[in-house]
Amino acid sequence: MLALKLATRSSAKSPASASCITQSPRGSSKNMTLITAPTTTATGSDVRVRFCPSPTGTPHVGLIRTALFNWAYARRTGGKFIFRIEDTDASRDSEESYGQLVEGLRWLGIDWDEGIDTGGPNEPYRQSERGHIYQDVIEKLKSSGHLYESFLTGEEIEQRNIANSRAVQLGYDNSERDLSEEDRQAYLSEGRKPALRLRVPDQDITFVDLVRGEITFPAGSFPDFVLVRPGGAPLYTLVNPVDDALMGVTHVLRGEDLLSSTPRQIALYNALVEAGVATFIPRFGHLPFVMGEGNKKLSKRNPESNLFLHRDRGFIPEGLLNYLALLGWSISADRDIFSLDELCENFEIENVNPNPARFDQKKADAINAAHIRLLTDEDFVARILPYLQSAGVIQGQPTARQLEILSAVAPLTKERVIVLGDVPAMIEFLFVDAADLKIDEDALKQLPENAVEIVSVAKASLESIEDFTTDAIHQALSDSLVDGLGEKPRNAFGPVRTAISGRRVTPPLFECMEILGKEQSLARLEAFVQSR
RNA sequence: GGUCCUAUCGACUAGCGGUUAGGUCAUCACCCUUUCAAGGUGAGAACACGGGUUCGAAUCCCGUUAGGACUACCA
């Protein structure tokens, strides 16, 4: 025990510890291998990060946050961002989901330097098309002695543990590391086919996590694990690190759920280096979970996990990404709103907070609203158009008059929505004829007794106006309703608003009347009086 | 069972040995106001617990407690 501590300490002090992997051999297995491969020292433009989702289901905001941080890290360092698809599980993967992943990243503006569609020096970027590559790597690992055949079934492994009074949960006992040739032949003659396991070094494995600092897994924390199925099909445990190695990935930024498998991957990387497949071990950084209600990881069942639901509601990429970045990272002590450029300029993986963060829809909404207000009027119009079209407010391409209305109402509307999906209901009345205007229940409910009187006085006072402008309208209505009838502004303008828009909440009333024009406005007031 | 991670207002966080513990969302109050927003001002609200190290601990160390992850011939 003392010797172990000394070993760890001295190795930490030695100059050789520029490598992040600390070695402290323990025990004395005949086949003991040690981790000797160097950890990458890549910085700046040598940085290579990747996003490698499995195409199962619709894109999840937690997944997007991972993509965002990898992307931001690449943009910050000047390195490369690789987009790879891990579609080796035909039963769960779907082409539809693959398409959604690509669509999602494109919509958000997260672009990649190598990968799907874009191509690059390490094609193909879909694992389902890389089968031949893995077979070659498996051969190299076999001939360098890092893999060994394992014939025991799960049931047999459990039996052995019971027989040896070893905890069943401990799993495999590495008992076939030195299988004799006779035993091997005996298994083969039974018609068994072996899985291939990695000979894991009997030593503590330490690495410096980019968000959590130094982490040590004691020797024996996990058994020799399977890399290849009986029959030769490679597993995720093999293909993920192999692809990273082949693609030269230097920094692996991924979810916290993979933290425990990192020592396994370091052991594999070491084997890969010794087998001549890789030249270094990457650095790892484990991002905190995105949580949902209670203390549970945000699951695909939670609607707020679905990227496209946010888009459909009217989140804009700037808002959603800003909020997602806030889940574990902050730009400064007193600022929450920032652009993607600012994120890329300031992102430091070392500043990511290791605690899990809860997804808060209210705050996400507030951040999105702030970004909508930052849009120029032209940009705002362009972005709300699809929402107006799908709500049926505008059919097909907008007319010149509709465009005119939109640009007039844009600055008024921008200030009072939290998502773009709020817009159609708010401005629909500007696009219908007086005869077709419907009056909402909640607008009617709060009308004063003398609503009809107010509206007809309003109409009379507006008829004489020459210039039908906001100021003139305001003046005329104030004179006739507030001064003339002695109504409070609230009581005076409420009925007019309802008659004009049919709604309780609208952009500012006088501006809306100016946009509608004198004829339309008066027609609506008249229609209201007639219908009561 | 084993291994690992985590712990600051209701939520997200700033803090990296000396702060009246700061900001944002949410909540409440007031101001502004033609509705709704936006904006302005203000209030309440946190260092999980126990030891240690130190002149001094939210900050470093240990333990406890509480969450969480992993422990597949899934990815």
Side-chain angles (χ1 to χ4, degrees):
Chain A
M1 207 51 193
L2 182 65
L4 174 68
K5 273 186 183 162
L6 287 172
T8 308
R9 188 167 301 162
S10 69
S11 106
K13 269 187 202 160
S14 76
S17 69
S19 154
C20 293
I21 310 303
T22 308
Q23 296 150 26
S24 45
R26 178 188 279 186
S28 58
S29 163
K30 264 187 260 173
N31 296 295
M32 188 168 78
T33 55
L34 287 177
I35 289 175
T36 54
T39 296
T40 185
T41 55
T43 55
S45 60
D46 292 333
V47 165
R48 293 174 64 80
V49 292
R50 89 299 197 259
F51 174 56
C52 54
S54 289
T56 60
T58 51
H60 182 281
V61 293
L63 196 67
I64 296 299
R65 205 268 317 257
T66 301
L68 176 67
F69 281 9
N70 274 282
W71 177 80
Y73 191 65
R75 295 294 169 260
R76 170 79 180 107
T77 57
K80 294 278 187 279
F81 179 56
I82 304 166
F83 180 24
R84 179 176 81 223
I85 291 285
E86 307 218 333
D87 54 347
T88 49
D89 185 345
S91 64
R92 295 199 318 183
D93 300 331
S94 76
E95 206 58 21
E96 184 195 8
S97 172
Y98 164 76
Q100 289 178 333
L101 249 7
V102 174
E103 181 190 345
L105 291 190
R106 290 245 160 86
W107 173 61
L108 291 165
I110 297 177
D111 56 343
W112 53 97
D113 307 298
E114 287 176 31
I116 300 306
D117 294 349
T118 306
N122 301 291
E123 289 187 302
Y125 289 92
R126 290 183 74 158
Q127 272 180 348
S128 56
E129 297 166 8
R130 295 173 64 82
H132 58 288
I133 294 171
Y134 308 127
Q135 292 312 318
D136 178 54
V137 171
I138 291 166
E139 282 313 311
K140 285 178 176 160
L141 285 172
K142 255 162 120 174
S143 55
S144 60
H146 290 96
L147 300 186
Y148 65 88
E149 296 179 331
S150 172
F151 294 90
L152 258 22
T153 64
E155 212 168 273
E156 288 168 331
I157 289 166
E158 191 173 327
Q159 294 305 322
R160 278 185 61 89
N161 282 337
I162 293 169
N164 299 334
S165 47
R166 186 171 181 271
V168 184
Q169 299 96 323
L170 257 28
Y172 186 61
D173 61 0
N174 302 352
S175 58
E176 294 158 295
R177 275 190 176 189
D178 305 300
L179 201 64
S180 71
E181 186 56 26
E182 297 100 274
D183 289 344
R184 180 171 179 269
Q185 286 303 332
Y187 279 130
L188 288 173
S189 65
E190 283 176 33
R192 296 202 190 199
K193 285 189 172 160
L196 264 26
R197 288 182 188 268
L198 182 76
R199 204 182 293 277
V200 174
D202 294 307
Q203 71 179 104
D204 295 358
I205 294 181
T206 296
F207 63 98
V208 179
D209 190 281
L210 292 162
V211 342
R212 288 153 213 275
E214 185 176 293
I215 300 173
T216 298
F217 289 77
S221 296
F222 53 91
D224 292 348
F225 53 100
V226 174
L227 293 177
V228 184
R229 273 189 181 134
L235 293 167
Y236 164 84
T237 46
L238 177 76
V239 298
N240 173 275
V242 164
D243 280 346
D244 284 349
L246 262 19
M247 294 180 183
V249 169
T250 59
H251 293 69
V252 174
L253 275 26
R254 41 143 57 161
E256 184 187 340
D257 48 337
L258 291 163
L259 182 56
S260 309
S261 64
T262 303
R264 277 185 274 270
Q265 299 197 342
I266 287 172
L268 208 213
Y269 261 104
N270 188 65
L272 253 16
V273 170
E274 289 180 6
V277 177
T279 57
F280 59 80
I281 298 172
R283 302 194 66 186
F284 295 87
H286 291 91
L287 310 174
F289 287 126
V290 175
M291 312 293 277
E293 283 305 309
N295 244 350
K296 287 204 232 77
K297 203 176 145 185
L298 193 62
S299 82
K300 295 199 171 176
R301 293 208 167 280
N302 300 86
E304 64 265 49
S305 76
N306 185 332
L307 173 67
F308 291 138
L309 247 34
H310 293 293
R311 183 181 62 177
D312 295 346
R313 258 189 87 216
F315 261 74
I316 59 176
E318 295 92 326
L320 187 62
L321 259 16
N322 187 158
Y323 178 66
L324 256 20
L326 250 18
L327 262 22
W329 185 77
S330 65
I331 195 162
S332 75
D334 55 4
R335 192 152 73 103
D336 270 358
I337 306 295
F338 49 83
S339 68
L340 282 180
D341 284 345
E342 289 173 307
L343 168 68
C344 291
E345 279 165 32
N346 294 284
F347 184 75
E348 301 291 351
I349 186 67
E350 289 82 2
N351 291 144
V352 171
N353 186 329
N355 321 340
R358 210 178 314 283
F359 187 96
D360 180 4
Q361 189 68 59
K362 284 254 179 62
K363 179 147 186 179
D365 285 352
I367 300 279
N368 191 63
H371 276 278
I372 286 179
R373 276 173 234 126
L374 255 23
L375 260 24
T376 64
D377 293 344
E378 300 75 52
D379 196 0
F380 179 73
V381 168
R383 299 208 203 198
I384 61 178
L385 205 48
Y387 293 86
L388 292 166
Q389 287 163 331
S390 76
V393 172
I394 289 178
Q395 265 92 26
Q397 283 310 301
T399 64
R401 170 63 183 149
Q402 287 173 328
L403 249 19
E404 189 188 338
I405 294 174
L406 284 176
S407 67
V409 85
L412 277 18
T413 313
K414 229 168 56 174
E415 299 294 325
R416 57 200 72 220
V417 295
I418 57 176
V419 289
L420 298 180
D422 293 342
V423 175
M426 188 172 286
I427 65 172
E428 179 173 21
F429 72 93
L430 294 170
F431 296 91
V432 302
D433 192 73
D436 303 324
L437 188 72
K438 294 207 170 55
I439 311 283
D440 285 355
E441 272 305 310
D442 68 331
L444 282 177
K445 243 185 262 174
Q446 51 160 40
L447 288 176
E449 298 273 317
N450 58 342
V452 173
E453 180 198 0
I454 289 173
V455 172
S456 40
V457 170
K459 178 172 176 274
S461 72
L462 290 170
E463 271 164 346
S464 57
I465 296 181
E466 297 282 311
D467 275 347
F468 206 70
T469 60
T470 298
D471 286 345
I473 295 164
H474 192 358
Q475 190 62 53
L477 292 181
S478 288
D479 289 350
S480 60
L481 302 179
V482 181
D483 298 341
L485 291 181
E487 292 287 345
K488 286 183 175 155
R490 187 188 180 88
N491 254 352
F493 302 127
V496 178
R497 178 185 307 282
T498 299
I500 291 290
S501 68
R503 301 187 57 84
R504 189 173 64 82
V505 178
T506 69
L509 176 61
F510 313 129
E511 285 85 345
C512 287
M513 291 172 76
E514 180 181 334
I515 290 168
L516 282 169
K518 186 172 182 178
E519 191 189 334
Q520 262 296 322
S521 297
L522 293 180
R524 288 168 192 229
L525 298 178
E526 175 63 21
F528 181 85
V529 173
Q530 293 303 322
S531 69
R532 295 300 112 184

